[in-house]
Amino acid sequence: MLSVDLNKYRGLIFDLDGTLLDSMPHHVRAWIQTAREHGFEIDPKLIYAWGGISSQDVVRRFIDMGYPAGDVDLFVKRKVELYREHINEVKLFAPIEKILKDAHDRGQLIAIASGTQRVNGEDTLRLHHLEKYVDALVCADDVTHHKPHPESFLTAASKLGLSNEDCLIFEDGKLGIEAALAGGFDCVEVQEGEMIKFYKSK
């Protein structure tokens, strides 16, 4: 397992889906079902590759590919409904949960910066009893530019009252890692709940 000195950072910022939360299979299932209801099939690999971008941008990409997705907001609304039907089944990645809680107990500040809708983010914190550990929550609703733009991470750091140099990002997605580095943050890549690679900001 990758070893990183977490104590050198005043704040830790976590992506949610696929990083802290083992939720991507549930999101993919909801996207596939919504697409089928609209009369087309999608490759699940696309959803994993696009991890971190907003749901609206996912649908716009479907439309650009020629799929009959229809109204963007209605498509997203239906996808969110389907995901939320199973939100109680989604589990945390235990090793990343431990990193988050241990950091909080050491006095470090904690933020979540996610491309999910705020209602999902808030419910996730509530369902997993994480509210007391998280000092700031930034979701798709809170920013104009989504990953790979660094706005979500910069906003999270600002909410913590910290600079980018004071924070370490935890991310599973390629676009999220690009966003972290673009914002001048150090970043740890996480896969299946394990830290696998450290990226130093330039």
Side-chain angles (χ1 to χ4, degrees):
M1 182 176 176
L2 180 70
S3 178
V4 178
D5 181 10
L6 303 181
N7 293 304
K8 64 183 289 188
Y9 301 96
R10 295 174 60 196
L12 304 184
I13 302 175
F14 296 82
D15 172 51
L16 193 59
D17 297 304
T19 299
L20 178 61
L21 201 63
D22 188 9
S23 55
M24 286 306 294
H26 299 273
H27 281 292
V28 169
R29 180 173 61 187
W31 281 117
I32 289 173
Q33 184 172 340
T34 307
R36 286 175 177 167
E37 291 177 2
H38 284 74
F40 64 96
E41 296 286 335
I42 57 173
D43 184 345
K45 293 179 182 178
L46 287 177
I47 304 303
Y48 285 101
W50 295 342
I53 70 173
S54 71
S55 295
Q56 285 78 8
D57 284 342
V58 170
V59 180
R60 292 186 187 104
R61 291 190 181 195
F62 289 157
I63 293 171
D64 289 343
M65 295 170 69
Y67 292 130
D71 182 86
V72 171
D73 290 334
L74 290 178
F75 195 105
V76 170
K77 180 181 178 182
R78 177 57 177 156
K79 181 267 173 181
V80 171
E81 289 173 351
L82 292 171
Y83 173 77
R84 289 180 60 78
E85 287 178 2
H86 301 278
I87 196 170
N88 290 340
E89 302 170 14
V90 179
K91 306 298 183 184
L92 297 174
F93 285 115
I96 306 303
E97 177 188 8
K98 185 177 188 305
I99 289 172
L100 183 153
K101 290 182 175 179
D102 287 350
H104 172 271
D105 291 344
R106 289 193 299 268
Q108 290 167 292
L109 298 175
I110 304 295
I112 302 293
S114 173
T116 196
Q117 285 75 26
R118 173 161 284 275
V119 64
N120 289 340
E122 291 176 345
D123 280 355
T124 295
L125 297 186
R126 177 180 55 80
L127 288 168
H128 295 284
H129 310 292
L130 292 176
E131 300 104 321
K132 69 177 182 179
Y133 297 98
V134 175
D135 301 289
L137 173 65
V138 177
C139 296
D141 320 56
D142 303 313
V143 297
T144 302
H145 305 289
H146 302 95
K147 301 170 187 176
H149 193 283
E151 183 180 352
S152 60
F153 292 135
L154 292 169
T155 301
S158 177
K159 285 180 176 288
L160 296 179
L162 301 177
S163 70
N164 51 2
E165 296 177 350
D166 289 326
C167 299
L168 177 66
I169 307 295
F170 289 79
E171 254 289 355
D172 70 299
K174 179 177 181 291
L175 297 179
I177 293 168
E178 290 177 5
L181 296 177
F185 296 89
D186 291 351
C187 180
V188 171
E189 180 179 353
V190 175
Q191 297 296 336
E192 297 298 324
E194 299 292 339
M195 300 191 301
I196 66 168
K197 188 173 182 179
F198 175 77
Y199 297 83
K200 179 68 177 174
S201 65
K202 296 180 180 179

